[in-house]
Amino acid sequence: MSRYKAREARPNRAPPCIQRDSWLSTEIQRVWDENFVVYGIREVWRQRYRETIPAARGTVERLIRQLGLLGVVRGKRMRTIVPDAHKACSADLVRRQFQPAASSRYGCYRCRWPACRV
């Protein structure tokens, strides 16, 4: 039987790499949840090796990004105040004037280049 016919006989069977990715995704989600949602890519990858389930670091990184998991970021503070996009901005309290007093004040409108003759 050809490979095409064998594939047609088992349409629901996924390739082994996709099966492993789906299994690893559930394991990565489990490790991330068990460790209080603070583990990042490197910590999840190390924990997988501690549990004697090896996986390439790039694979773990790819799956974590697909799952949308984020670990704790050191050195950066969380933004707790998010501005409201629908609220109107306050008026300009300094009363700056953004337009020049005269039309030619900031530009040379009479500057002309001499004509080039060939």
Side-chain angles (χ1 to χ4, degrees):
M1 184 185 310
S2 69
R3 283 188 170 185
Y4 178 77
K5 295 286 185 182
R7 177 76 178 154
E8 288 295 315
R10 299 179 307 244
N12 296 333
R13 185 170 175 210
C17 60
I18 293 177
Q19 290 177 358
R20 180 167 167 80
D21 281 355
S22 65
W23 176 75
L24 263 176
S25 295
T26 57
E27 288 295 312
I28 287 170
Q29 184 74 43
R30 180 189 60 80
V31 167
W32 191 70
D33 289 335
E34 283 179 1
N35 292 289
F36 306 107
V37 192
V38 296
Y39 270 14
I41 294 168
R42 185 173 37 177
E43 291 90 357
V44 170
W45 176 66
R46 284 184 179 166
Q47 183 64 30
R48 302 299 313 132
Y49 268 97
R50 281 187 219 120
E51 295 177 359
T52 65
I53 302 172
R57 185 163 182 242
T59 304
V60 172
E61 182 178 351
R62 177 175 52 84
L63 293 175
I64 284 177
R65 287 190 180 164
Q66 282 179 359
L67 293 170
L69 307 179
L70 293 173
V72 172
V73 179
R74 294 182 192 163
K76 291 188 177 182
R77 295 188 177 231
M78 294 278 298
R79 235 179 121 176
T80 57
I81 299 174
V82 180
D84 187 11
H86 301 293
K87 187 176 179 182
C89 295
S90 61
D92 186 19
L93 301 177
V94 184
R95 295 186 184 130
R96 292 174 284 201
Q97 299 207 2
F98 297 107
Q99 305 218 345
S103 63
S104 64
R105 190 166 194 166
Y106 297 116
C108 181
Y109 69 96
R110 292 194 175 192
C111 294
R112 305 243 183 217
W113 292 98
C116 296
R117 295 183 183 163
V118 180

